């Protein structure tokens, strides 16, 4: 009986450690999914990179440089830009409502 106890305890420790690793991985994955701010930032960065590449393809170099500078400013502080876009959308909606009335 005493020969089985260390073996089972070792198996229990290994099982516990494996379970902890799985839980840690699961919690990290959930944390990444729930981190909306980071996901939005990644999405904005991706879209800005795509837009910068397109602008560089269709315009001259000085214009592309200015656009890159603007994109970097948005990356550094996106809140004013989002607030401005939100305000613009609200204004457009109000104008459309008045026209339809």
């Amino acid at each position: 009986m005493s020969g089985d106890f260390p073996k089972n305890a070792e198996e229990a420790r290994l099982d516990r450690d494996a379970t902890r690793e799985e839980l840690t991985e699961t919690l990290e994955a959930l944390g990444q999914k729930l981190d909306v701010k980071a996901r939005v930032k990644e999405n904005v960065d991706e879209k800005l990179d795509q837009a910068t590449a397109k602008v560089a393809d269709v315009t001259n170099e000085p214009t592309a440089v200015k656009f890159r500078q603007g994109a970097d400013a948005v990356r550094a502080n996106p809140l004013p830009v989002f607030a401005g876009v939100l305000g613009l959308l609200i204004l457009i909606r109000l104008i459309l409502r008045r026209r339809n009335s």
Side-chain angles (χ1 to χ4, degrees):
M1 206 191 258
S2 63
D4 291 336
F5 183 72
K7 182 180 178 187
N8 290 335
E10 183 62 29
E11 287 177 2
R13 282 188 206 104
L14 291 173
D15 186 46
R16 178 197 65 200
D17 292 343
T19 302
R20 281 183 181 169
E21 284 183 37
E22 290 174 8
L23 284 173
T24 300
E25 290 173 8
T26 301
L27 288 174
E28 286 175 359
L30 284 172
Q32 289 175 352
K33 286 185 177 186
L34 294 174
D35 191 359
V36 175
K37 185 176 179 181
R39 291 177 59 201
V40 167
K41 184 180 183 313
E42 289 172 3
N43 193 12
V44 167
D45 286 343
E46 181 182 323
K47 298 298 180 189
L48 283 173
D49 289 339
Q50 291 173 356
T52 302
K54 285 182 183 179
V55 167
D57 287 342
V58 298
T59 62
N60 57 13
E61 184 61 27
T63 304
V65 169
K66 289 288 185 187
F67 188 84
R68 264 187 247 121
Q69 290 172 345
D72 290 340
V74 169
R75 280 190 181 111
N77 195 7
L79 185 60
V81 174
F82 290 132
V85 169
L86 180 63
L88 182 62
L89 290 174
I90 291 171
L91 180 64
I92 290 170
R93 185 173 176 124
L94 290 173
I95 290 170
L96 291 175
R97 276 188 180 176
R98 285 188 181 172
R99 281 189 179 180
N100 291 335
S101 293

